[in-house]
Amino acid sequence: MGRKVSEFSGDTLSSDDAVKAMLGRTGNLRAPTARVGKTVLVGFNEDVYSGVFD
């Protein structure tokens, strides 16, 4: 099963949409969460993590 990857930047979507994408069903922040420079990673996707941490 593929996982959805969403990218948000200043002009792409409203901050409300970004926050909704970061929260799980219970209203808590999805885990894991990491900040790398100006990039915030929420949830886990091996391909995305490999690209950011390489």
Side-chain angles (χ1 to χ4, degrees):
M1 171 170 76
R3 297 285 176 146
K4 181 178 179 182
V5 175
S6 300
E7 293 185 36
F8 299 91
S9 64
D11 299 351
T12 306
L13 293 172
S14 75
S15 59
D16 289 340
D17 292 332
V19 170
K20 286 178 187 175
M22 291 183 209
L23 299 179
R25 286 176 265 146
T26 62
N28 293 327
L29 187 62
R30 294 180 185 272
T33 301
R35 181 175 169 204
V36 182
K38 292 185 177 183
T39 301
V40 177
L41 303 170
V42 181
F44 181 79
N45 181 292
E46 188 171 354
D47 294 332
V48 173
Y49 271 63
S50 294
V52 170
F53 291 111
D54 275 347

